[in-house]
Amino acid sequence: MSSTDPQTSTRPDDGIAEGVETPLQTPAAIASDPSASAAKSAIKGEGHEVTLKNVKSFYGDNMAVKGVDLEYKANQVTAMIGPSGCGKSTLLRSINRMHEEIPGARVEGEILLDGVDINAPGTDVVAIRRMVGMVFQRPNPFPTMSIRENVAAGLKFNKVKDVDHDERVEWALRGAGLWDEVKDRLNAPGVGLSGGQQQRLCIARTIAIKPDVILMDEPCSALDPIATLKVEELIQELKTEFTIVLVTHNMQQAARVGDRTAFMYLGDLVEVDETQKIFTNPSDTRTEEYVSGKFS
């Protein structure tokens, strides 16, 4: 990743503090009353739209994302492709307000979650990061916690008392396709799992509080082909309940799992369309050159 698109830290506390966990409030409740604590139930098929309007992301005076207009559709996987340093990961972190944590960084424009601007004055930033979960490039299970404790971490951090934590842990591990592999060793350290299992554990941790949107920043970049396939299958299953944005450098992966694909280049959104069209009949010659491997 380039110097203008720095990798997000994966310290043990980042998952909770920066959005690996998820929502207790609706966007409207957050916008009107940041202290509201109304519970939000996740229903299968309940997707949430994210709309970007003229979004610009800066590192000091450097504009890394240049006025992007884009809609992430509910219950779909939108794959974000483009060469390194083109602004994909910066845009991703802007969606849950992590980008602004970088010294000198800022975001302009509107980012709407179900029509509510997450950058509006008075918005509860922590609540936004709970509603928009994030999975990072490398697995980052909390090293001092067991498998069970890793998945339940967000429930405890957010003081969720209206659900059975053990039931939710099982639900999340099943959702992450990991339950059958770990059900007999839930008290074992999470870091004792294989790399692919650790990434699915982090996905389970993300979905445990049932976010509206899941952001995935190259979640398979550190995994072998077999583990990658399992995560890709999982992404396809998760979209029935969540809206997913996937940043990837793997063209085959984007073609396999993306319902829609967006191509970025030098901070600009060049085009976005149905994935099949992007890979077979793109509208812009730059997209055609990129997906055909003429530049990377």
Side-chain angles (χ1 to χ4, degrees), residues 27-278:
I30 290 171
S32 62
D33 180 8
S35 65
S37 59
K40 184 184 89 59
S41 62
I43 302 171
K44 186 171 183 178
E46 179 189 19
H48 295 262
E49 301 277 347
V50 178
T51 304
L52 312 183
K53 295 184 178 181
N54 195 30
V55 172
K56 302 174 182 177
S57 301
F58 296 82
Y59 296 99
D61 294 330
N62 175 44
M63 187 189 301
V65 175
K66 303 174 181 178
V68 167
D69 295 297
L70 180 58
E71 181 178 295
Y72 298 108
K73 297 182 180 294
N75 300 117
Q76 288 193 5
V77 178
T78 301
M80 304 288 296
I81 63 173
S84 297
C86 71
K88 304 183 303 296
S89 293
T90 297
L91 184 63
L92 202 71
R93 290 193 299 270
S94 298
I95 295 172
N96 71 344
R97 298 192 60 172
M98 287 175 59
H99 176 68
E100 65 196 57
E101 297 300 322
I102 300 170
R106 71 184 192 280
V107 178
E108 297 179 358
E110 292 182 294
I111 301 175
L112 307 175
L113 176 57
D114 289 341
V116 176
D117 188 357
I118 69 168
N119 291 316
T123 300
D124 186 340
V125 177
V126 174
I128 288 295
R129 291 173 185 160
R130 294 172 193 149
M131 300 180 74
V132 185
M134 189 154 188
V135 178
F136 298 97
Q137 293 181 15
R138 294 184 178 276
N140 62 339
F142 301 147
T144 61
M145 294 185 183
S146 67
I147 294 170
R148 186 198 312 273
E149 290 169 336
N150 260 279
V151 179
L155 299 172
K156 293 180 178 178
F157 176 79
N158 292 294
K159 300 179 181 179
V160 178
K161 299 178 180 178
D162 58 344
V163 299
D164 184 293
H165 285 202
D166 286 340
E167 290 182 1
R168 182 62 63 82
V169 166
E170 179 177 345
W171 175 87
L173 286 169
R174 286 187 182 279
L178 194 57
W179 174 253
D180 289 338
E181 298 172 42
V182 302
K183 62 183 179 181
D184 296 324
R185 47 175 175 151
L186 294 177
N187 293 322
V191 292
L193 299 174
S194 69
Q197 289 175 323
Q198 285 186 26
Q199 190 65 300
R200 284 184 285 147
L201 176 65
C202 293
I203 292 172
R205 187 178 65 195
T206 299
I207 67 175
I209 308 181
K210 301 186 175 181
D212 297 332
V213 179
I214 300 176
L215 310 177
M216 295 187 168
D217 191 1
E218 297 191 65
C220 301
S221 63
L223 305 182
D224 62 53
I226 294 176
T228 293
L229 179 60
K230 288 185 177 181
V231 172
E232 289 179 358
E233 292 173 346
L234 174 58
I235 290 170
Q236 292 285 53
E237 295 171 3
L238 290 176
K239 74 178 183 181
T240 63
E241 295 193 44
F242 307 103
T243 301
I244 298 176
V245 184
L246 170 69
V247 166
T248 181
H249 280 105
N250 187 321
M251 296 299 98
Q252 292 76 22
Q253 182 172 81
R256 286 191 295 264
V257 304
D259 296 294
R260 300 169 77 238
T261 296
F263 171 58
M264 291 189 68
Y265 183 61
L266 298 178
D268 291 310
L269 175 64
V270 175
E271 68 175 299
V272 58
D273 213 320
E274 300 298 318
T275 293
Q276 183 176 7
K277 184 178 186 303
I278 289 292

